[in-house]
Amino acid sequence: MKPNEIEWVLRALKGDREAFGLLYSVFYPVVLARIRGILHNTRDWEEARALAQDVFVKAWQAIASLQKPENFLGWILTIADNESRMVIRTKMHRPAVSTLSEEDRTETPEPGPEREAESGEIRRALDEALADFPEAHREVILLKTVAGLGCAEISGKMGMSYDQAKGILARGLTKVAMRMRSFAPGKKQ
């Protein structure tokens, strides 16, 4: 972690919400990428975003339990891991048939414009393309594509060398691009 980030953690430990907000702005993309890496089978990106926000709420509530400020990233990623796995366990135990009565059910709105539909198809295709990757590789690719981080930032966040991150990205993005070719505009499956 950078010295200013450690300073923000120290301030957050003293109850400084603004400092915690700065941590949120820096680490939200990393937490989101981690969650997307774990929940790679989910089709709902909003679910991942909401879960990332929940992780930060839990982190704020438990900030006093953080022993070493320099371990903030590992600590919050552990919270993200645990919350993601809880979502997976909950989904596994959810009944397949809805228990809501007809009156309680709300109709799902019709899909929006064609672009929105294509966007959903592309997201599903990306999820499917990433499903075969090891979790760490998915996370590297998502840090690049979702969080917009560069190789140097990814290597620092993931605890790997720059060359490792660059190699994983090069191979991974090539594989994803090959799998995604079938989703080029106007191309039918």
Side-chain angles (χ1 to χ4, degrees):
M1 285 183 60
K2 298 176 184 172
N4 62 327
E5 295 167 350
I6 293 173
E7 178 60 33
W8 297 338
V9 174
L10 291 169
R11 287 176 38 204
L13 282 164
K14 294 176 183 173
D16 186 337
R17 289 176 185 254
E18 184 178 324
F20 193 79
L22 294 169
L23 292 167
Y24 177 89
S25 66
V26 169
F27 294 109
Y28 174 82
V30 179
V31 169
L32 179 61
R34 177 68 149 247
I35 290 168
R36 291 284 299 143
I38 294 170
L39 301 180
H40 66 276
N41 286 329
T42 184
R43 302 292 187 234
D44 187 356
W45 286 48
E46 288 306 315
E47 177 185 32
R49 288 184 186 107
L51 186 57
Q53 290 181 356
D54 289 346
V55 165
F56 277 92
V57 169
K58 287 182 185 296
W60 174 250
Q61 293 169 341
I63 191 80
S65 70
L66 177 62
Q67 300 295 314
K68 295 180 181 177
E70 63 274 11
N71 292 343
F72 177 80
L73 179 59
W75 177 76
I76 200 162
L77 289 177
T78 299
I79 295 171
D81 291 351
N82 292 338
E83 292 300 309
S84 298
R85 288 183 176 97
M86 182 146 341
V87 166
I88 291 169
R89 281 191 300 273
T90 302
K91 285 183 176 184
M92 287 173 45
H93 298 297
R94 193 176 289 161
V97 178
S98 175
T99 57
L100 295 175
S101 69
E102 267 316 303
E103 297 150 3
D104 292 334
R105 293 184 190 156
T106 57
E107 288 191 30
T108 305
E110 290 297 315
E114 188 174 312
R115 271 195 320 200
E116 212 172 287
E118 284 178 9
S119 175
E121 287 178 27
I122 291 169
R123 279 191 226 144
R124 283 189 293 281
L126 179 59
D127 286 341
E128 290 171 14
L130 290 173
D132 295 335
F133 287 74
E135 186 174 324
H137 290 206
R138 272 195 312 273
E139 192 169 341
V140 167
I141 292 166
L142 289 168
L143 284 170
K144 175 68 175 172
T145 59
V146 175
L149 301 183
C151 283
E153 293 170 301
I154 292 170
S155 65
K157 304 272 186 227
M158 294 292 295
M160 60 179 58
S161 74
Y162 178 87
D163 289 336
Q164 284 176 308
K166 188 175 175 182
I168 290 169
L169 273 174
R171 289 185 304 276
L173 292 175
T174 300
K175 286 180 184 176
V176 168
M178 288 172 55
R179 292 178 186 172
M180 296 290 291
R181 281 195 181 136
S182 64
F183 287 91
K187 194 167 191 176
K188 297 288 181 189
Q189 290 197 22

